[in-house]
Amino acid sequence: MQQDRSRRYLQFFGPRPDADVEDEIAFHLEARAQELAARGLPLAEAREEARRRFGDRTRVEAEMRRMEREKSRRAARLEMWRDWGSDLTFVRRSLMRQPLFTIAAVLTLGLSIGVNTAIFSAVNAFLLKPLPVRDADRQMVVATMFKKDGITGSVSYPLYREVKALPVFEDAVSWLGWEVALRRDGNTQKGFVLAGSGNYLTALGVQVARGRGFTEADAATRAPVVVITDSYWAREFGRAPAAVGATLYLNDVPFTVIGVLPAAFTGTQPLIVPQLMMPVESMASFYPAIAANMDDMSWGSFRILARTKAGVTPAQLEAAMGQYTADLEQRYPREMLDSKVVAAPETRARPDLSVSRIVPWIAAVFFGMVGLAVLVACANVTNLLLARAAARRSEIAVRAALGAARGRVIRLLLTESVVIGILSLGVAYLLARFSIQWFNNLDLAIDVPISFGLEMDWRVFGYAAAISLAAGVIAGLAPAVMGSRAPVSEVLRESGRSGAGSKGRARFRNGLVIAQVAVSFVLLVSGGLFMRSARGAANLDIGFRRERLLVSQMDLSLHRLDSVQTRRTQDQLLERLAALPNVEAVGLGSHIPLGGNNYGRNLYLDTRPTAAPQGMFQTFYATVSPGYIPALGLRLREGRDLLPTDDDAAPRVAVVNRALAEALWPGEGALGKRFRLDEQGPEVEVVGLIENAQYLLLGEAPRPFAYFPIRQSYRQQTFIFVRTRPDDPLAAVPDLRRVVTEINPSILLSGTRSMATHLDHGIALFFVNMGATLATAIGLLGLLQTVVGLYGVLSYTVAQRAREFGIRQALGASAGSIVGQVLRQGSVLCGTGIAAGLAIAIVLTRSMSSLLYGVSPLDALAFGGALLIVGVVAFASSYLPARRASRVAPATAIRAE
Amino acid sequence: MRNESLELLRGTLDLLILRALKVETTHGYGVLRWIERATGDELRIEEGSLYPALYRLEKRGWITSEWGLSENNRRARFYQLTRKGRAQLETEVDEFVRFALAVFRALDVTPTPA
């Protein structure tokens, strides 16, 4: 009681600590003086005596002021918390009183924020999260790039040494990924090794978690040592400390584990998590040619990460690369044909410089979509809150009448929507966690150990939290401001009547619904376009046939077969597989289309065509066996396929594609034309011409490509292509395994899958399919929200106009006419929204065209589908409120008056 | 020397303030008058030091204050003992008595009521 009174007292006058202190001292002095005066001292003297007895007033007063100010600050803080506390209690009660509203609002926000967060976690992993290495912001990917199409390539080791010495760089590391047969305790599996320069771990500042890392000294002695990654340590050794010192066999050569890498560091190869890392020099113990390759300017298998000196600007870096390119063109005209050296920040070069240019686009499109979804969700919650605010006007008016300041009411209402935002963060968090897990567990039909590395780190959580709070504020702002503006007189005038509310507010709500419909329409169109694009991509003419085709891989270099054994194994395999009754065709090839790995080389021409004025021409190529072309279903246009007789003893031959023929010999016909593979080498005759196919990227422009017989160029790593007679190519897997085991039981087959799987779940279509899934999910989310929004607004209008509808019916209006009236209102809102959405979509989808395959950004089906869906949904969500309107009993409505 | 006596005085002052407020809720001047009367004007308190002491006690939660009207209708700040303050007073009285008896024993004198 007393506490309360004192609080009100304080509040009334506001805190004024200085004046209080002065008053208190003045009171004391006066009281003392009065007493002394009463004892007979003259008043002036009494006052003098009182002051003397009090002592050093200035000092005491200063001390008191300090303490008093502190006290009033404490009181203010306490007051604030108490207010928050009472606000929260109020909010909790009001949210619990209407659980349906609360659940709808929280789910609406939570779902869209969750999707948004999941997308952000991908963006975070792909674009934002720096590598866990020293000076990550100064690490540059250095690569060669074709001037023509921006496709980037790996570099040679000599080039790495030169890059490392360039004055713009402080240090650089280089590495290559290499597949090995990894044996431990008699169990062999395919492994992926990251073989780095001797300084790889030290220059990147990687501290091993256990044991030691490899160094330049290990590289110099070609020590057979490896460090293992955390995931391999966990999987193979169960995190046992004894792993350090253990022996692993790489292609049958013993290597000693000297250390375990920290969990955070999985190497510098984007997306790939190798099992092992070692100095590249140490590969010599199972791959003797590596030493020679490391001095070969044309052996481009390495990647580079170079650390710029502090203060080097992007412009300086670019200039340095331009200068270096010019220098290389002088010294290595062949190796550098049509190429340049480029450098880009590591985060801008994921997963590859040539693709990284469209990655931000993809991110932007999806961010735009999910951003819109969140805004739609906010609009929904705004609408729900507005409806409630209107219902609570009398309560707010009473508060205002009791003296609550407007700011205070706004704060109270905002607290409510912020609480909704915070609750939705919980939903969003769970959804994002779930999505991230799902995404990380996706099984990809790719040959290397891949990890997307998505995780809920502080960045992602912070993002979700910020979006949730912002959504809470955005959704609640308009209702709070409007709700707090409730003049007592107006409310009292309205009391007991279900008035239609102010026109402005109705217009605002209608505007929101129109915007929602528009946005959902845009989202659905984008979703439809992506879905159509996925279909389109699957049906693109890829130049070969994807059905009834089995793919597998074998690497005879893992089994240390010499060239004679290799040839014999390959021959036997082709022969025995071809003899199987359910096999239509079989072939070996160095290259699987749309598999990510590609090889390029120069052709040398004696008669220089305009396309190759220097007599050199860059082409992609594959080394293939007879049967490869029919097995893949490539279309032979002229000439012949490669034959078993095209071997070392026979004249050199090649089959080329139309793009190559048209570039080099336009209008002449390619058959019988000749070129060389080495400047001084033997002539190669073109014996066949095939139709262009897709090799690197889906939807790419025709690209020159040549096929050389495997018997004229030795190759141990090959893909096996089996075209089966049965519809399901996987039915031939047991046969394939049996045949391989019969020939050589130690041969490891890997990556056995159907071509359809390779395309759909491999890198070719993965992102397209992913995009379609995501876009559809976002579109449906938007649709769901449109339903909530439209239904909410119409229900609210119907409730407000119940009396009017009742009277109309009493006056003889038919139920049908009332249903029609509400439906009309719904369709006006919807129609306006769709019209706006149509305009927006036409403008926006054009920017998506670079991400679409085989479908126009104005695809009639996507637009028509969206139109139909939004129309049906709008009708459905208007119909229920309309029916309710037609059932208002006239008597009830009028009695409510 | 002077410092020590101040320290002692301050502790004692707090004790006396609490004791004064146990009798009645009053303003600073009232507290002072009670101490003067109760000690027969033996203890000379620097009046200025009373107020910081009151604020300190309030901060510790032993007393609370409230503005009100004095006997002669002036705006004054009234101090009141809290439950916590009451408990504190009991402890401090106990401690002070123990302290005083110990000093008496050392000085070999018998305390006699004044």
Side-chain angles (χ1 to χ4, degrees):
Chain A
M1 245 316 256
Q2 278 212 324
Q3 291 259 332
D4 267 355
R5 190 151 33 92
S6 80
R7 253 205 312 149
R8 208 173 312 144
Y9 192 86
L10 273 173
Q11 234 173 346
F12 189 74
F13 287 99
R16 22 169 253 161
D18 291 359
D20 279 355
V21 165
E22 216 159 285
D23 283 2
E24 189 165 17
I25 293 176
F27 172 80
H28 178 98
L29 293 176
E30 190 56 26
R32 175 65 88 191
Q34 290 297 336
E35 189 207 310
L36 292 171
R39 286 200 214 147
L41 217 62
L43 196 59
E45 264 175 61
R47 286 198 169 129
E48 180 56 39
E49 173 64 11
R51 268 200 291 278
R52 200 186 52 75
R53 286 199 193 185
F54 192 83
D56 186 350
R57 181 175 173 174
T58 326
R59 186 182 54 79
V60 169
E61 205 176 287
E63 194 178 346
M64 287 167 73
R65 274 182 184 169
R66 187 179 53 73
M67 288 167 74
E68 184 69 3
R69 278 193 205 122
E70 198 181 303
K71 179 179 144 190
S72 71
R73 266 199 303 274
R74 258 200 325 270
R77 260 201 309 274
L78 195 70
E79 183 77 2
M80 195 189 76
W81 285 117
R82 226 176 258 150
D83 281 358
W84 277 115
S86 71
D87 282 6
L88 283 177
T89 314
F90 171 80
V91 165
R92 183 168 51 82
R93 277 200 207 120
S94 86
L95 289 182
M96 277 165 61
R97 210 167 25 229
Q98 282 168 297
L100 225 79
F101 156 80
T102 310
I103 291 169
V106 167
L107 280 184
T108 306
L109 279 184
L111 288 179
S112 50
I113 293 171
V115 172
N116 198 305
T117 305
I119 301 255
F120 178 79
S121 78
V123 171
N124 181 41
F126 288 131
L127 300 178
L128 299 180
K129 201 162 65 179
L131 279 179
V133 302
R134 66 178 284 199
D135 300 320
D137 54 326
R138 285 197 270 134
Q139 299 284 0
M140 303 288 154
V141 165
V142 179
T144 55
M145 181 184 268
F146 284 119
K147 289 176 183 167
K148 236 182 300 177
D149 51 13
I151 297 280
T152 47
S154 304
V155 299
S156 67
Y157 209 72
L159 192 122
Y160 155 66
R161 290 199 197 102
E162 292 186 3
V163 165
K164 191 179 177 204
L166 288 178
V168 279
F169 295 122
E170 206 165 72
D171 205 351
V173 297
S174 181
W175 73 93
L176 51 69
W178 201 260
E179 286 176 359
V180 291
L182 188 55
R183 178 154 62 83
R184 177 177 173 252
D185 294 342
N187 170 26
T188 309
Q189 48 179 233
K190 212 168 94 163
F192 192 88
V193 167
L194 188 150
S197 47
N199 67 345
Y200 184 79
L201 294 178
T202 49
L204 293 177
V206 175
Q207 305 284 335
V208 290
R210 281 171 175 278
R212 67 173 184 94
F214 62 82
T215 61
E216 298 274 16
D218 296 306
T221 58
R222 298 181 174 185
V225 295
V226 293
V227 293
I228 58 177
T229 50
D230 183 78
S231 57
Y232 184 70
W233 183 44
R235 200 175 62 239
E236 284 296 311
F237 292 95
R239 299 191 174 277
V244 175
T247 303
L248 292 173
Y249 290 85
L250 275 65
N251 296 354
D252 288 336
V253 177
F255 274 74
T256 306
V257 176
I258 55 168
V260 180
L261 291 161
F265 184 72
T266 57
T268 43
Q269 188 91 349
L271 299 179
I272 296 179
V273 178
Q275 286 93 12
L276 319 163
M277 297 186 198
M278 59 192 247
V280 62
E281 285 87 349
S282 300
M283 280 174 69
S285 51
F286 59 82
Y287 180 58
I290 190 70
N293 289 339
M294 285 174 70
D295 293 323
D296 184 351
M297 189 63 185
S298 63
W299 203 70
S301 295
F302 289 91
R303 287 178 177 243
I304 298 177
L305 205 53
R307 190 170 75 235
T308 53
K309 284 184 178 150
V312 171
T313 65
Q316 285 168 334
L317 186 64
E318 203 186 344
M321 289 302 115
Q323 204 180 343
Y324 182 53
T325 299
D327 171 42
L328 281 173
E329 278 170 343
Q330 288 291 316
R331 292 188 284 139
Y332 301 97
R334 261 170 241 162
E335 287 80 356
M336 291 303 295
L337 184 66
D338 295 331
S339 307
K340 58 180 176 175
V341 180
V342 290
E346 190 276 329
T347 46
R348 295 277 84 82
R350 298 174 184 171
D352 185 275
L353 260 178
S354 48
V355 190
S356 63
R357 279 173 307 165
I358 65 165
V359 168
W361 268 108
I362 299 176
V365 165
F366 281 108
F367 252 137
M369 288 179 69
V370 289
L372 285 178
V374 171
L375 282 183
V376 169
C378 285
N380 261 336
V381 175
T382 298
N383 249 332
L384 293 171
L385 283 170
L386 273 179
R388 262 163 48 105
R392 288 194 316 203
R393 293 180 80 201
S394 48
E395 180 208 320
I396 287 160
V398 170
R399 278 179 174 252
L402 289 180
R406 191 161 165 225
R408 192 73 187 67
V409 174
I410 291 183
R411 201 178 83 181
L412 176 70
L413 293 177
L414 259 189
T415 305
E416 182 168 24
S417 66
V418 168
V419 166
I420 290 173
I422 290 170
L423 290 177
S424 73
L425 175 62
V427 175
Y429 177 77
L430 292 178
L431 182 66
R433 278 289 295 263
F434 173 77
S435 319
I436 286 172
Q437 209 159 27
W438 173 77
F439 199 72
N440 278 337
N441 290 341
L442 271 188
D443 204 12
L444 279 184
I446 294 176
D447 307 318
V448 288
I450 263 202
S451 162
F452 289 104
L454 266 55
E455 57 178 350
M456 182 58 94
D457 62 6
W458 62 267
R459 238 185 258 257
V460 177
F461 185 79
Y463 175 85
I467 297 274
S468 300
L469 282 181
V473 172
I474 290 171
L477 206 55
V481 171
M482 288 182 174
S484 68
R485 204 190 293 142
V488 184
S489 56
E490 191 188 314
V491 174
L492 293 180
R493 205 162 1 94
E494 275 177 18
S495 71
R497 269 195 307 161
S498 42
S502 86
K503 271 201 173 135
R505 215 165 296 166
R507 220 177 292 132
F508 183 69
R509 268 197 304 272
N510 289 342
L512 282 180
V513 167
I514 290 171
Q516 276 174 339
V517 172
V519 170
S520 314
F521 183 79
V522 173
L523 289 179
L524 280 176
V525 167
S526 328
L529 282 176
F530 273 110
M531 265 200 286
R532 293 269 292 151
S533 166
R535 289 287 298 270
N539 294 331
L540 272 186
D541 180 12
I542 47 180
F544 58 94
R545 302 204 318 271
R546 60 193 252 141
E547 72 281 358
R548 292 190 288 116
L549 187 54
L550 181 70
V551 187
S552 188
Q553 271 173 281
M554 71 178 178
D555 184 354
L556 299 179
S557 72
L558 307 186
H559 313 297
R560 305 219 260 177
L561 302 180
D562 64 22
S563 60
V564 177
Q565 290 167 320
T566 298
R567 289 245 149 112
R568 195 169 58 228
T569 305
Q570 290 173 342
D571 285 350
Q572 284 176 333
L573 189 68
L574 287 173
E575 213 171 281
R576 295 205 198 165
L577 283 173
L580 292 173
N582 57 358
V583 170
E584 189 179 289
V586 59
L588 299 178
S590 59
H591 161 270
I592 181 168
L594 306 168
N597 267 330
N598 289 281
Y599 308 98
R601 70 186 301 170
N602 289 343
L603 306 181
Y604 297 88
L605 298 146
D606 294 342
T607 50
R608 303 181 173 190
T610 42
Q614 274 89 44
M616 292 183 289
F617 184 79
Q618 263 278 1
T619 182
F620 286 93
Y621 77 99
T623 308
V624 304
S625 75
Y628 173 90
I629 290 171
L632 263 169
L634 290 160
R635 296 192 286 272
L636 190 64
R637 283 282 174 244
E638 288 173 53
R640 63 169 175 90
D641 185 10
L642 301 169
L643 298 172
T645 49
D646 294 321
D647 58 15
D648 279 339
R652 308 272 145 165
V653 295
V655 170
V656 301
N657 76 347
R658 201 154 55 82
L660 193 149
E662 280 168 4
L664 289 182
W665 308 288
E668 289 182 41
L671 289 191
K673 290 288 189 303
R674 286 157 193 282
F675 56 82
R676 296 174 203 278
L677 286 175
D678 290 303
E679 210 165 3
Q680 312 303 329
E683 287 196 318
V684 178
E685 186 189 341
V686 176
V687 295
L689 177 75
I690 65 154
E691 197 49 58
N692 295 331
Q694 307 264 278
Y695 305 98
L696 271 65
L697 298 167
L698 218 52
E700 68 188 2
R703 197 182 287 285
F705 206 93
Y707 301 87
F708 302 115
I710 197 168
R711 291 164 151 240
Q712 291 182 346
S713 55
Y714 181 66
R715 177 150 188 106
Q716 291 191 301
Q717 287 169 299
T718 54
F719 290 87
I720 306 169
F721 299 91
V722 181
R723 181 158 306 273
T724 60
R725 290 185 208 280
D727 279 342
D728 180 15
L730 294 180
V733 171
D735 284 340
L736 174 65
R737 289 201 191 284
R738 186 173 44 76
V739 168
V740 167
T741 315
E742 276 168 18
I743 295 169
N744 182 342
S746 71
I747 291 177
L748 279 176
L749 283 182
S750 62
T752 306
R753 59 196 188 263
S754 69
M755 179 55 88
T757 306
H758 166 70
L759 293 177
D760 292 340
H761 302 287
I763 55 176
L765 283 173
F766 172 74
F767 289 103
V768 180
N769 288 336
M770 198 66 212
T773 310
L774 265 178
T776 311
I778 298 170
L780 289 177
L781 196 67
L783 193 66
L784 179 82
Q785 295 185 339
T786 307
V787 173
V788 173
L790 202 59
Y791 177 81
V793 161
L794 290 179
S795 299
Y796 178 69
T797 332
V798 166
Q800 288 216 311
R801 292 171 63 190
R803 174 170 152 272
E804 181 203 326
F805 288 131
I807 294 173
R808 273 170 196 256
Q809 273 187 300
L811 294 179
S814 71
S817 78
I818 286 173
V819 169
Q821 207 194 345
V822 176
L823 284 183
R824 217 161 19 247
Q825 193 197 349
S827 50
V828 166
L829 292 179
C830 222
T832 317
I834 288 176
L838 196 65
I840 298 168
I842 288 172
V843 176
L844 280 189
T845 54
R846 201 172 305 163
S847 66
M848 288 168 54
S849 59
S850 63
L851 308 177
L852 299 178
Y853 296 105
V855 55
S856 143
L858 295 179
D859 183 65
L861 211 64
F863 275 77
L867 193 69
L868 188 72
I869 293 174
V870 173
V872 166
V873 160
F875 179 80
S877 43
S878 312
Y879 188 70
L880 277 177
R883 273 205 5 166
R884 202 177 313 134
S886 73
R887 287 183 180 175
V888 175
T892 327
I894 293 163
R895 210 178 309 126
E897 182 76 340
Chain B
M1 191 60 195
R2 199 188 147 164
N3 256 349
E4 275 169 14
S5 66
L6 250 182
E7 201 57 42
L8 180 67
L9 183 62
R10 179 175 288 177
T12 319
L13 179 60
D14 288 357
L15 179 60
L16 290 172
I17 292 172
L18 293 178
R19 181 65 183 82
L21 290 175
K22 190 186 172 185
V23 180
E24 61 169 343
T25 295
T26 181
H27 38 71
Y29 185 68
V31 171
L32 190 75
R33 286 292 295 133
W34 183 88
I35 296 176
E36 282 173 359
R37 270 200 310 275
T39 60
D41 277 336
E42 290 252 22
L43 288 179
R44 296 286 297 189
I45 299 169
E46 194 194 332
E47 295 177 17
S49 62
L50 173 75
Y51 287 90
L54 281 166
Y55 282 25
R56 213 164 40 239
L57 295 181
E58 185 175 15
K59 189 180 172 185
R60 287 183 192 152
W62 295 340
I63 62 178
T64 58
S65 71
E66 182 182 0
W67 286 90
L69 290 180
S70 73
E71 313 81 67
N72 46 8
N73 258 348
R74 307 256 325 239
R75 187 168 167 266
R77 190 171 186 156
F78 284 78
Y79 294 90
Q80 186 184 16
L81 200 60
T82 63
R83 191 179 306 169
K84 230 173 119 187
R86 216 169 279 276
Q88 181 63 24
L89 175 62
E90 280 171 31
T91 335
E92 280 196 23
V93 167
D94 281 354
E95 273 176 21
F96 188 83
V97 170
R98 272 176 57 208
F99 170 77
L101 288 177
V103 175
F104 285 140
R105 197 177 309 137
L107 299 177
D108 196 20
V109 291
T110 315
T112 48

